Each structure stands twice: as C-alpha cells, then as structure tokens.
Amino acid sequence: MAGDVIELILADHRRFEDLFRVLRDNSADRLGALRELAELLVAHAEAEEGEVYPALRRFQDIDDHEVEHGAEEHAEGHQALLALMEVGDPEAEAWDEKLEELVKAINHHLDEEERTILNDARDAVPEQRRRELGEIFVKARAARVSAGCGDISHVRDLVEQTKHRVD
C-alpha cells in the first residue's frame, strides 16, 4: 500500500534530513550514507519530475512556475551531489564544504516544495488521486533505484543533460 503521494514525498524529505545528520557525523559510515542519499535523492527527483509533477500541472490551483522551479532545484541538487561524490573521502578537506553546499541546496528545495507545490496539492488534488499518484511515485522511484540511479556515472549524466538544456 503506497499511500498519499504528499505524505510519501514528505517522508523522503525527512529521510534526506536524517542522512544529512549522518553525513556530518565523523564516527558514522558516511560513505554508506552518501550512497543511500544519492540513490534516494536521484530516484525521488526523477519520480517527481517524471510522474508527479506532470500530473499536478493538470490541476488549476497548482502553479506551473513552481513546478518548473522545483525541477530546476532538482538539477542544482544533482550538481551539489556530484561535487560531494567526487570528493569521495569523508576525511578530505573539501568534504565538509561540499556537504554543506548540498545540504543548503536540498533544504532550500524541500522548504519551497513543501510550502508551495505540496500545500497546493493537498488542497487541490482529491485524496483518491493523491493515493493513485502515491502508488505511481513508489513504483517509479523503485524502478529508478533498481536501474542504479545513485551511481556517480548516472549523476554525472544528469548534470551534463542539465548543462545542455541551459546552453
């Protein structure tokens, strides 16, 4: 049973925050946490952009600009994720700096998405449709994880695709 897409997205957001705490902890398995974060973050973003955002755009009370902005912020998050993944060693001097850049980018996106898109969706999208979207979101996210979406080569590809769209 998947549940309401809004609640599922919010649960992922809280998991990102948990993983940020682990990534900041010198005594933790930071590389393991980074692998989990990369996988969940990319799968989450791709499922939102591929399935959830297009469905929400069909509702009059959902601001198209906010949905587009959400996708732009996913791209910024992927860039910051790649920068941290490329550091590789949690003991390296650049780790903390790149981690904080990632945390800042993701937390900014979570805050905006929760205040705008998700709040609007809670009001505009009927509960049954949110449950249907929840099932679609969970399946799409799982498919992305199975495809290895958290691998550094895939994250590089995402960043490159974004650069080409901007050029």
Side-chain angles (χ1 to χ4, degrees), residues 25-28 30 87-95:
D25 181 351
N26 292 335
S27 66
R30 297 195 294 175
V87 170
D89 179 5
E91 302 304 317
E93 198 171 301
W95 176 272

Side-chain angles (χ1 to χ4, degrees), residues 126-167:
E127 183 179 344
Q128 179 59 36
R129 182 62 178 139
R130 292 195 319 260
R131 288 193 172 288
E132 292 166 0
L133 285 172
E135 189 173 318
I136 292 166
F137 175 75
V138 166
K139 287 179 182 174
R141 190 181 57 192
R144 298 307 308 137
V145 168
S146 294
C149 68
D151 183 78
I152 193 168
S153 63
H154 182 68
V155 177
R156 275 192 190 108
D157 289 345
L158 290 173
V159 170
E160 282 302 310
Q161 290 169 14
T162 303
K163 285 180 184 176
H164 293 301
R165 276 187 268 161
V166 172
D167 292 342

Side-chain angles (χ1 to χ4, degrees), residues 11-155:
D12 281 0
H13 290 182
R14 301 300 75 84
R15 183 64 188 146
F16 299 150
E17 293 165 350
D18 291 343
L19 289 167
F20 292 152
R21 283 188 279 284
V22 175
L23 287 164
R24 287 176 167 141
D25 181 351
N26 292 335
S27 66
D29 176 12
R30 297 195 294 175
L31 289 177
L34 180 57
R35 281 189 298 275
E36 183 181 343
L37 177 67
E39 186 175 86
L40 182 58
L41 190 63
V42 172
H44 174 97
E46 290 183 331
E48 276 186 343
E49 288 181 37
E51 305 297 336
V52 178
Y53 284 2
L56 293 181
R57 283 176 174 238
R58 295 187 186 106
F59 288 88
Q60 183 176 342
D61 295 338
I62 307 294
D63 185 336
D64 280 352
H65 171 73
E66 290 299 336
V67 173
E68 289 170 25
H69 186 62
E72 291 167 7
E73 289 180 344
H74 287 163
E76 292 169 8
H78 293 147
Q79 289 172 337
L81 174 63
L82 179 61
L84 181 61
M85 293 173 86
E86 287 177 337
V87 170
D89 179 5
E91 302 304 317
E93 198 171 301
W95 176 272
D96 290 333
E97 176 189 338
K98 297 302 179 188
L99 174 58
E100 291 312 311
E101 289 172 8
L102 174 62
V103 169
K104 183 179 177 184
I106 299 303
N107 281 342
H108 171 81
H109 170 66
L110 302 184
D111 177 60
E112 279 193 5
E113 184 177 68
E114 289 175 15
R115 283 185 300 105
T116 59
I117 298 169
L118 298 181
N119 277 343
D120 290 348
R122 192 180 312 274
D123 294 335
V125 180
E127 183 179 344
Q128 179 59 36
R129 182 62 178 139
R130 292 195 319 260
R131 288 193 172 288
E132 292 166 0
L133 285 172
E135 189 173 318
I136 292 166
F137 175 75
V138 166
K139 287 179 182 174
R141 190 181 57 192
R144 298 307 308 137
V145 168
S146 294
C149 68
D151 183 78
I152 193 168
S153 63
H154 182 68
V155 177

